[in-house]
Amino acid sequence: GAATVIASDKTGTITRNQMTITSAFFEGVNYRITGQGYNPAGEIFDEGGQVMSPHTLGERKILFLAGFLSSTGTVNPPDDFHQDYYALGDPTEAAFATLLMKAGFDAAAVTAEYPRQRLFAFDSERKRISIVREHNGRRISFVKGSIESLLPLCSRQRLRGTEQELTGRERDELLAVSRAYSAQSLRVIALAYRDMEEGEDISQQTAERDLVFSGFVTMVDPPRAEVKEAMKAAHSAGIRTVMITGDH
């Protein structure tokens, strides 16, 4: 009866801890993504409102593969212990498996087609993860992380199917767009890649240098349905509420 402030953790308490990718900004094009949680029931719309599929993606498929290929999390279908699709591994990583399925791909088939050769795990200093994979006899480094950590490592960007020099002005514009999304309480995860040279040693330094920036996605951790009423009850009782989070 003496409480005047409630300080609550965010992830998994106020939210469902089910990261949902809501949009993707690839090669200068905005893609809108529907659905919620890890359930692959959702669609990807291009800037013209067309629903994307493996048949219409063409060369753009790598954009929706890149996030998954730089991830370690997976998503499993409902079973005897789970009523809906659920994540194995980090929730942010698993969200890219759902995006892959929404684009119409089979996660197991993609993993077999791009076998992993080396993992440089995410850490709080680098703020990124890198995975080197082999595909058709060549090695590709797929990198994912905060846009602030990735942009300084990128010398080029992918636009409309071609690789172009990434200028200082374009870096500032990309950061401005990402900050606008962050201001809407959306998490921004940037993606980049690098075709590694034949015979090149696989190290963290070689995997994360001279990258090609391909874009970023925005994601949200939706609040639990009961949070709104709980907040109303606290406010009506004169209790101040504080949300504690380690997010950006």
Side-chain angles (χ1 to χ4, degrees):
T4 57
V5 177
I6 295 177
S8 172
D9 177 42
K10 180 188 75 77
T11 304
T13 303
I14 291 176
T15 67
R16 299 178 184 177
N17 199 22
Q18 291 187 352
M19 298 305 300
T20 302
I21 295 177
T22 58
S23 66
F25 185 81
F26 288 140
E27 297 193 350
V29 177
N30 273 305
Y31 296 87
R32 181 172 62 88
I33 302 163
T34 62
Q36 193 172 75
Y38 300 120
N39 193 313
E43 296 174 314
I44 301 171
F45 296 87
D46 66 12
E47 57 186 347
Q50 179 184 5
V51 177
M52 307 305 295
S53 73
H55 305 293
T56 59
L57 281 174
E59 291 186 356
R60 291 177 294 179
K61 73 174 185 177
I62 191 63
L63 305 176
F64 296 97
L65 290 173
F68 174 75
L69 292 173
S70 58
S71 299
T72 57
T74 59
V75 169
N76 284 7
D79 54 31
D80 293 339
F81 304 99
H82 302 87
Q83 296 181 350
D84 201 350
Y85 282 79
Y86 63 96
L88 287 178
D90 183 82
T92 298
E93 300 268 286
F96 286 94
T98 300
L99 178 65
L100 183 80
M101 290 187 285
K102 287 179 180 178
F105 293 98
D106 178 81
V110 171
T111 301
E113 189 178 351
Y114 292 82
R116 188 171 82 183
Q117 291 196 337
R118 192 77 182 272
L119 163 69
F120 300 102
F122 178 91
D123 64 56
S124 58
E125 290 187 7
R126 286 164 48 246
K127 296 182 180 179
R128 56 184 177 269
I129 177 176
S130 302
I131 298 180
V132 177
R133 296 183 181 271
E134 190 272 333
H135 180 63
N136 291 338
R138 62 192 181 101
R139 294 175 302 178
I140 310 170
S141 173
F142 295 96
V143 189
K144 178 174 82 272
S146 73
I147 191 168
E148 293 87 355
S149 73
L150 251 64
L151 277 178
L153 305 176
C154 297
S155 59
R156 292 155 292 156
Q157 65 175 326
R158 187 177 172 92
L159 284 176
R160 307 290 180 177
T162 63
E163 294 182 5
Q164 303 177 15
E165 181 185 359
L166 184 59
T167 66
R169 179 179 178 181
E170 288 166 336
R171 294 173 198 270
D172 293 340
E173 290 174 350
L174 287 167
L175 283 172
V177 172
S178 70
R179 288 174 184 139
Y181 281 117
S182 295
Q184 300 174 44
S185 298
L186 293 167
R187 179 180 292 178
V188 176
I189 305 293
L191 302 169
Y193 68 91
R194 176 175 182 257
D195 291 318
M196 302 192 69
E197 299 173 6
E198 186 175 353
E200 188 175 21
D201 292 337
I202 301 178
S203 66
Q204 180 182 308
Q205 288 72 29
T206 57
E208 298 181 354
R209 69 174 177 85
D210 196 25
L211 299 176
V212 180
F213 184 84
S214 59
F216 59 82
V217 303
T218 66
M219 56 176 65
V220 64
D221 186 0
R224 294 181 180 273
E226 60 270 26
V227 166
K228 183 179 289 187
E229 291 304 317
M231 291 291 290
K232 286 182 178 179
H235 287 178
S236 65
I239 298 174
R240 188 165 72 93
T241 55
V242 179
M243 181 176 72
I244 301 174
T245 175
D247 286 354
H248 190 287

